[in-house]
Amino acid sequence: MDFTWLSDPTALAALATLVVMEVVLGIDNLIFISILTNKLPEHQRSKARRIGIALALILRLGLLGTIAIIVTLTEPIFTLFGHAFSWRDLILIGGGLFLVWKATKEIHHNVDSTPTDDMFDTTKATMTFGAAITQILLLDLVFSLDSIITAVGMTDVVMIMVIAVVAAVTVMLAAANPLAQFINNNPTVVMLALGFLLMIGMTLIAEGFGAHVPKGYIYAAMAFSALIEGLNMLSRRAARRKAAGTQEPK
């Protein structure tokens, strides 16, 4: 195994950059896993998250072992309306449509006055364990493909890709339960996260049709929205403290 790249500053810089990019790309995957597993019975949620993230790692490492095939996925297979579509495009479009459908469905359940299957009612299970893992696996495949193609575009050293992927998945594993618990305890954050998934789904569809959307714009919008929601949470918390103070007997 060749480790000569460890003495190359350029390779080390590529490793640091790729680790950060892989962690950021993993946020989309982690939000979906957190929201979906909150629909399971409480004793199954942590297990489902671990399995979902483990599947993400296996898929990423498996795809790294087939880099030659991954590269060919970007080659056109047919042309429609003047745009050449590749297998990568079709996978991104399919994953984007699934995310849009899933997010729209759950937003509808949240705003419906008489929901029949509400993912926000965590007192009961609204999804089977197998169904949750299947849906996580589908999105893992889409996000893993995007992640590996990004890695291949940044470096040709497989070991750098492996280290970056393992580091990103380790961060996902550490953040999964705290993020899911936070989302579960704050329904408005769940709605915000569903909005993120809707935006990510539309971005994947746009990418599949050849319209490149800079990731920086997406994550800047997500960060700004999260900041506003954080301020709203602080405002609500201050209002509750004020109301509690006025109700105390003098």
Side-chain angles (χ1 to χ4, degrees), residues 26-247:
I27 293 173
D28 309 343
N29 208 170
L30 190 56
I31 290 174
F32 180 80
I33 290 174
S34 298
I35 291 177
L36 196 64
T37 53
N38 279 345
K39 300 181 69 174
L40 294 170
E42 191 167 356
H43 68 279
Q44 292 183 338
R45 294 174 191 172
S46 182
K47 178 181 179 182
R49 288 173 205 131
R50 289 196 301 269
I51 292 177
I53 294 171
L55 288 172
L57 176 60
I58 292 170
L59 280 172
R60 282 162 168 78
L61 294 179
L63 289 172
L64 278 175
T66 58
I67 289 179
I69 298 176
I70 296 300
V71 172
T72 64
L73 291 180
T74 61
E75 296 176 359
I77 53 174
F78 68 90
T79 301
L80 186 64
F81 302 119
H83 176 67
F85 289 88
S86 65
W87 281 113
R88 173 181 179 270
D89 294 332
L90 298 181
I91 292 172
L92 290 179
I93 292 171
L97 289 172
F98 176 76
L99 267 185
V100 169
W101 169 78
K102 190 68 180 174
T104 302
K105 176 174 176 286
E106 301 303 351
I107 290 173
H108 170 74
H109 283 307
N110 188 47
V111 300
D112 189 357
S113 57
T114 56
T116 55
D117 180 20
D118 190 356
M119 78 173 293
F120 301 96
D121 182 5
T122 55
T123 60
K124 63 178 181 178
T126 57
M127 176 177 287
T128 65
F129 188 85
I133 295 301
T134 300
Q135 292 188 33
I136 290 172
L137 179 60
L138 287 174
L139 262 296
D140 275 349
L141 177 60
V142 176
F143 288 127
S144 294
L145 181 64
D146 197 29
S147 170
I148 297 307
I149 289 177
T150 299
V152 171
M154 289 193 63
T155 180
D156 56 359
V157 180
V158 175
M159 185 54 63
I160 290 179
M161 300 181 203
V162 171
I163 293 174
V165 165
V166 171
V169 173
T170 301
V171 172
M172 288 173 61
L173 189 60
N177 284 340
L179 176 63
Q181 190 63 40
F182 179 74
I183 288 176
N184 186 45
N185 293 337
N186 297 275
T188 57
V189 174
V190 181
M191 181 59 73
L192 182 64
L194 287 171
F196 289 163
L197 291 181
L198 195 59
M199 179 172 62
I200 292 164
M202 292 302 298
T203 302
L204 291 176
I205 294 172
E207 291 274 357
F209 280 99
H212 176 64
V213 181
K215 291 290 194 300
Y217 293 162
I218 301 299
Y219 293 115
M222 291 171 65
F224 180 76
S225 300
L227 175 61
I228 297 301
E229 179 58 27
L231 293 175
N232 285 332
M233 291 173 63
L234 290 174
S235 176
R236 289 192 295 268
R237 187 177 303 171
R240 286 196 298 268
R241 285 200 300 264
K242 183 177 180 181
T246 56
Q247 293 174 3

